[in-house]
Amino acid sequence: MSSDGLLSIGELAERAGTTVKTVRHYSDRGLLPEAGRSSGGHRRYGPEALDRLRLIRSLRTLGLPVPEVERALDRDDALEEVVTGQLRKVGSQLAALRWREASLTLLRDCSAEERAERLRLVGAVPAPPDTAALVRFWRRILPARLPGRVVSTVLDSVVPGLPREPSPGQVLAFARLHALVTDPRLDRVEFRSAPPLPAGTYRPEVLYEELAVAYASASSAQRAGLAPGDGEALDCFVSAYAQASGVPDTPAFRQRLVGLLARSGGPVIQRYWKLAGGLFAPDEPVLGALHHHLSVALQAQVTGRTD
C-alpha cells in the first residue's frame, strides 16, 4: 500500500485472492472505480475497492453473469431483485434437470421393445417441456366466442401444471398426452360442439361458469369421502346445462341431458383425461373425472339404477 493509503492493482488482486487480469477486467467495465493513477499512470484503488471486489466475486461465484452483477451494483435496492431473478432461473433449471432425469430413468427401466416407442414419444416433447400444445388443443375445442376471462378459467382447470419432480410414469403420461394433442389427424376432427340442447337459447359462457360451481361442489364432496355426484353437486351440474339452454330443470330435461352427455366428449377427450389425470397435484380436482362421475350419477338417477 502506498503512503496515501491507495492500493496498486497487484496489491488489490492479491488481497482479494484473484488475478490482476480479473481486476483490470472489472475496472474496464466500470464495476471497480479507480481512486486515481500513479505518476507512472498505474491504477490505484481505495480501501473500499477491496470490499466491492469481494462482493463482485461472490456474485460471480453464485453464477450471476457480469451484466446482472452490474445491475446489482447499480443501486442499493437492486441486489435483492437480481438474486430473486437468479433464484427463479435456477429453479427452472433444476425442474428441467429433474424432468431429464425422470426421462432417462424411463428409458433405462423398460424393455428393448418399449424403448424405441418411448424414445420417440419423449423426444417429441419440447426441452424443457411446456404445456403450450395442450393450451392450443383446448382453445380449439372451446366455443369460439367464449369470453376471455372464462377461457382463462377453463384453461387453468383443464391443463395440468408440469410436476416439479416428475416420476418416470408422469413423464410417459405427459409424452403420450403431448402426442395426442399434436396428432395431425386431429385436423380432420370437428371438436366444437353444437348447443347442448336444441331448446332455448344456448349461452356457453353460462354453461362453463356454472359447471365450475358444480365441479367445485363435487370436489368438496369427494374430499369429504362422499360420492362426487351426491346431492347438491348433481343439481348444480344439471342446472348449469339448463341455465345455459334457457330451459327449466325438469325430469324430461334430465332425460334429454343423459342422451347428450352420452354422445359428448368422444375418444380423444376420454384419452386426454385418462393421461392427464396423473399429472394434476394430489389436491387438485380432475375435471374430467368429476364430469364422468356426475354424468354417471345423472344417468343412474334418470334410469332408477342403484348399482
Side-chain angles (χ1 to χ4, degrees), residues 3-160:
S3 58
D4 58 3
L6 299 181
L7 300 168
S8 69
I9 191 170
E11 290 170 331
L12 179 59
E14 182 179 3
R15 293 193 182 192
T18 189
T19 65
V20 169
K21 181 180 179 180
T22 298
V23 176
R24 185 177 293 114
H25 173 68
Y26 291 149
S27 292
D28 290 343
R29 291 199 63 129
L31 290 174
L32 205 58
E34 301 170 17
R37 295 266 177 160
S38 69
S39 57
H42 298 295
R43 305 173 198 240
R44 291 288 185 267
Y45 299 89
E48 70 283 353
L50 181 58
D51 289 336
R52 189 174 178 89
L53 180 55
R54 286 171 174 162
L55 174 58
I56 294 170
R57 292 196 66 213
S58 294
L59 294 174
R60 293 287 289 133
T61 300
L62 291 171
L64 270 72
V66 173
E68 289 295 283
V69 173
E70 289 177 327
R71 193 158 71 91
L73 298 175
D74 185 52
R75 64 179 198 273
D76 292 339
D77 61 343
L79 179 56
E80 181 179 353
E81 180 182 314
V82 168
V83 170
T84 299
Q86 192 68 10
L87 273 172
R88 283 196 298 269
K89 185 180 297 185
V90 170
S92 297
Q93 292 170 344
L94 285 173
L97 284 173
R98 292 187 187 107
W99 195 273
R100 183 180 174 189
E101 179 185 35
S103 300
L104 291 169
T105 303
L106 173 71
L107 296 174
R108 182 195 65 189
D109 299 341
C110 67
S111 66
E113 292 76 15
E114 294 173 315
R115 190 165 292 123
E117 181 200 11
R118 292 185 177 188
L119 187 58
R120 176 182 60 80
L121 287 169
V122 172
V125 174
D130 61 55
T131 58
L134 278 62
V135 170
R136 289 193 296 271
F137 171 78
W138 280 103
R139 285 189 178 278
R140 181 179 171 189
I141 293 174
L142 294 173
R145 293 184 175 83
L146 203 61
R149 59 180 175 77
V150 179
V151 172
S152 296
T153 300
V154 173
L155 291 176
D156 287 343
S157 301
V158 299
V159 176

